[in-house]
Amino acid sequence: MAANQQVGMELDPKYDDYDFPTVAPEARSGHPGHLTAQQQAQVHQLRLMLENEGYTKRLDTITLLRFLRARKFDVELAKKMFVECEKWRNEVKLDETLPNWDYPEKEEMFKYYPQYYHKTDKDGRPVYIEQLGSIDLNAMYKITTQERMLMNLAVEYERVADPRLPACSRKAGFLLETCCTIMDLKGVGISKAGQVYSYVSAASNLSQNYYPERLGRLYIINAPWGFSGVWSMIKGWLDPVTVQKIHILGSGYQKELLNQVPAENLPKEFGGKCECPGGCKMSDAGPWKDPQWAKPAKWSKEAQTTIHNQGGSIQTEQDARAAVTAEAEVAAAGAGLSAPASQ
């Protein structure tokens, strides 16, 4: 088979325990469901290298593909990125913190820096909104610390991976891996630029280094005068694929934004029609809150403590899923069929 011939995607039963669609909607090279033979081999190579160094978590195919795409399928560079990410996760004790994380200062913090997920865009992706106009780090650091702000950001990224994106994927009927981000610069003047930069720079490093391939589209709205000129210089240094995802808009942004986000999903303050009870900022509304599409995150206490009584034996939810899969395979074999691949 030719190395550049598309083969779809092999799933590894040891790691690929998906309960949502696993094929990307567009046949883009290197994306789940649309791999070449060479790319599939690179997934296997990366996984084997990581296993040989003792890694056992997050070795599923879709995760490894994100790291490979972030490093242009250079396996050594993707491995380095993955290892550095795991080192960071261990240093901040993210896996231990995640199921127990509480951020009671959130509502007070939102007076200065609203950051929230709210419903979906026309492609089914979660919409993430940041408003930087009221940011005041001196006031914010009386409420919390930068360390807690960054930990909350990491927790929210984990919640994007599960349960937000899986719920959106189930609703859409195909795999969704990215978000649509709206960054509102209204009120951000020169006097606040330094404060905004200090935190946003740290947050951006966290995003780029540890959560690759999560940006679907970025709309920077209410961009101040002169921002477009700066952007025209900066974009020359960026990957063209990234540049295509970024849209710089001034105060007349509503028409273009509404082309991407349905009016009923966009908060009213941005030109949409949504007015969630209690306010859109605090609602966390989306498919991940809809029982039709939502399932407990695999890292959550709810999922970890779910048990199934199996005639005197107790199984975890993961064991139960494996048992159902095995039963389906036996039944299919009895009928002279092969069980369908996970979608």
Short mmCIF file of all heavy atoms in Angstrom, two decimals, residues 176-199:
data_model
loop_
_atom_site.label_atom_id
_atom_site.label_comp_id
_atom_site.label_asym_id
_atom_site.label_seq_id
_atom_site.Cartn_x
_atom_site.Cartn_y
_atom_site.Cartn_z
N LEU A 176 -15.91 16.42 16.64
CA LEU A 176 -15.54 17.82 16.79
C LEU A 176 -14.40 17.90 17.80
O LEU A 176 -14.49 17.33 18.89
CB LEU A 176 -16.74 18.65 17.26
CG LEU A 176 -17.86 18.79 16.22
CD1 LEU A 176 -19.14 19.30 16.88
CD2 LEU A 176 -17.44 19.72 15.09
N GLU A 177 -13.33 18.60 17.43
CA GLU A 177 -12.15 18.68 18.29
C GLU A 177 -11.77 20.11 18.67
O GLU A 177 -10.86 20.31 19.47
CB GLU A 177 -10.94 18.05 17.60
CG GLU A 177 -11.05 16.58 17.30
CD GLU A 177 -9.76 16.03 16.74
OE1 GLU A 177 -8.91 15.60 17.54
OE2 GLU A 177 -9.60 16.05 15.50
N THR A 178 -12.45 21.10 18.07
CA THR A 178 -12.03 22.48 18.25
C THR A 178 -13.18 23.36 18.74
O THR A 178 -14.34 22.95 18.76
CB THR A 178 -11.49 23.06 16.94
OG1 THR A 178 -12.54 23.06 15.95
CG2 THR A 178 -10.31 22.26 16.42
N CYS A 179 -12.83 24.59 19.12
CA CYS A 179 -13.80 25.56 19.60
C CYS A 179 -13.81 26.80 18.71
O CYS A 179 -12.85 27.06 17.97
CB CYS A 179 -13.45 25.99 21.03
SG CYS A 179 -13.52 24.66 22.23
N CYS A 180 -14.88 27.54 18.81
CA CYS A 180 -14.99 28.85 18.16
C CYS A 180 -14.83 29.89 19.26
O CYS A 180 -15.65 29.96 20.18
CB CYS A 180 -16.35 28.99 17.48
SG CYS A 180 -16.65 30.63 16.77
N THR A 181 -13.77 30.68 19.18
CA THR A 181 -13.45 31.64 20.24
C THR A 181 -13.78 33.06 19.82
O THR A 181 -13.49 33.47 18.69
CB THR A 181 -11.95 31.56 20.60
OG1 THR A 181 -11.67 30.26 21.12
CG2 THR A 181 -11.56 32.61 21.63
N ILE A 182 -14.41 33.78 20.73
CA ILE A 182 -14.69 35.22 20.53
C ILE A 182 -13.91 35.97 21.60
O ILE A 182 -14.12 35.77 22.80
CB ILE A 182 -16.19 35.52 20.68
CG1 ILE A 182 -17.02 34.74 19.66
CG2 ILE A 182 -16.45 37.02 20.53
CD1 ILE A 182 -18.51 34.79 19.90
N MET A 183 -12.98 36.81 21.17
CA MET A 183 -12.19 37.62 22.09
C MET A 183 -12.58 39.08 21.91
O MET A 183 -12.33 39.67 20.86
CB MET A 183 -10.69 37.42 21.83
CG MET A 183 -9.81 38.12 22.87
SD MET A 183 -8.06 37.67 22.67
CE MET A 183 -8.09 35.97 23.23
N ASP A 184 -13.23 39.63 22.91
CA ASP A 184 -13.75 40.99 22.85
C ASP A 184 -12.73 41.95 23.46
O ASP A 184 -12.42 41.88 24.64
CB ASP A 184 -15.08 41.05 23.60
CG ASP A 184 -15.74 42.43 23.51
OD1 ASP A 184 -15.26 43.27 22.70
OD2 ASP A 184 -16.72 42.66 24.24
N LEU A 185 -12.23 42.88 22.63
CA LEU A 185 -11.23 43.85 23.09
C LEU A 185 -11.85 45.21 23.43
O LEU A 185 -11.12 46.18 23.65
CB LEU A 185 -10.15 44.04 22.02
CG LEU A 185 -9.35 42.79 21.62
CD1 LEU A 185 -8.23 43.17 20.67
CD2 LEU A 185 -8.80 42.08 22.84
N LYS A 186 -13.16 45.28 23.49
CA LYS A 186 -13.82 46.55 23.81
C LYS A 186 -13.35 47.06 25.17
O LYS A 186 -13.39 46.35 26.17
CB LYS A 186 -15.34 46.36 23.84
CG LYS A 186 -16.11 47.66 24.05
CD LYS A 186 -17.60 47.41 23.99
CE LYS A 186 -18.38 48.72 24.15
NZ LYS A 186 -19.84 48.49 24.07
N GLY A 187 -12.85 48.30 25.19
CA GLY A 187 -12.39 48.89 26.43
C GLY A 187 -10.93 48.65 26.73
O GLY A 187 -10.40 49.15 27.72
N VAL A 188 -10.25 47.91 25.86
CA VAL A 188 -8.83 47.65 26.07
C VAL A 188 -8.03 48.78 25.43
O VAL A 188 -7.92 48.86 24.22
CB VAL A 188 -8.40 46.29 25.47
CG1 VAL A 188 -6.89 46.10 25.64
CG2 VAL A 188 -9.16 45.16 26.12
N GLY A 189 -7.50 49.67 26.26
CA GLY A 189 -6.69 50.78 25.77
C GLY A 189 -5.24 50.57 26.10
O GLY A 189 -4.84 49.55 26.66
N ILE A 190 -4.43 51.57 25.78
CA ILE A 190 -2.99 51.48 26.03
C ILE A 190 -2.69 51.29 27.51
O ILE A 190 -1.79 50.54 27.89
CB ILE A 190 -2.27 52.74 25.49
CG1 ILE A 190 -2.40 52.80 23.97
CG2 ILE A 190 -0.80 52.74 25.90
CD1 ILE A 190 -1.81 54.05 23.36
N SER A 191 -3.49 51.93 28.38
CA SER A 191 -3.23 51.85 29.82
C SER A 191 -3.39 50.43 30.36
O SER A 191 -2.79 50.06 31.37
CB SER A 191 -4.16 52.79 30.58
OG SER A 191 -5.51 52.42 30.37
N LYS A 192 -4.22 49.63 29.68
CA LYS A 192 -4.45 48.26 30.14
C LYS A 192 -3.64 47.22 29.37
O LYS A 192 -3.65 46.05 29.73
CB LYS A 192 -5.94 47.91 30.02
CG LYS A 192 -6.83 48.66 30.98
CD LYS A 192 -8.26 48.18 30.84
CE LYS A 192 -9.17 48.90 31.84
NZ LYS A 192 -10.57 48.50 31.70
N ALA A 193 -2.98 47.66 28.32
CA ALA A 193 -2.31 46.71 27.44
C ALA A 193 -1.29 45.85 28.19
O ALA A 193 -1.20 44.64 27.98
CB ALA A 193 -1.62 47.45 26.29
N GLY A 194 -0.52 46.47 29.10
CA GLY A 194 0.48 45.73 29.84
C GLY A 194 -0.13 44.67 30.72
O GLY A 194 0.35 43.54 30.78
N GLN A 195 -1.22 45.03 31.42
CA GLN A 195 -1.89 44.07 32.29
C GLN A 195 -2.47 42.92 31.47
O GLN A 195 -2.34 41.75 31.84
CB GLN A 195 -3.02 44.75 33.06
CG GLN A 195 -2.55 45.68 34.16
CD GLN A 195 -3.70 46.05 35.08
OE1 GLN A 195 -4.68 45.32 35.18
NE2 GLN A 195 -3.56 47.18 35.75
N VAL A 196 -3.11 43.26 30.37
CA VAL A 196 -3.71 42.24 29.53
C VAL A 196 -2.64 41.30 29.00
O VAL A 196 -2.79 40.08 29.03
CB VAL A 196 -4.48 42.88 28.35
CG1 VAL A 196 -4.90 41.82 27.34
CG2 VAL A 196 -5.69 43.64 28.86
N TYR A 197 -1.52 41.86 28.57
CA TYR A 197 -0.47 41.06 27.97
C TYR A 197 0.12 40.06 28.96
O TYR A 197 0.37 38.91 28.63
CB TYR A 197 0.64 41.94 27.41
CG TYR A 197 1.77 41.15 26.80
CD1 TYR A 197 1.66 40.63 25.51
CD2 TYR A 197 2.94 40.89 27.51
CE1 TYR A 197 2.68 39.87 24.95
CE2 TYR A 197 3.96 40.15 26.96
CZ TYR A 197 3.83 39.63 25.67
OH TYR A 197 4.83 38.89 25.13
N SER A 198 0.35 40.49 30.19
CA SER A 198 1.03 39.63 31.17
C SER A 198 0.27 38.34 31.41
O SER A 198 0.87 37.26 31.44
CB SER A 198 1.25 40.38 32.49
OG SER A 198 0.00 40.69 33.09
N TYR A 199 -1.05 38.44 31.60
CA TYR A 199 -1.82 37.22 31.84
C TYR A 199 -2.09 36.46 30.54
O TYR A 199 -1.93 35.24 30.49
CB TYR A 199 -3.15 37.52 32.53
CG TYR A 199 -4.02 36.29 32.60
CD1 TYR A 199 -3.73 35.27 33.50
CD2 TYR A 199 -5.07 36.10 31.72
CE1 TYR A 199 -4.48 34.11 33.55
CE2 TYR A 199 -5.83 34.94 31.75
CZ TYR A 199 -5.54 33.95 32.66
OH TYR A 199 -6.28 32.81 32.69
#
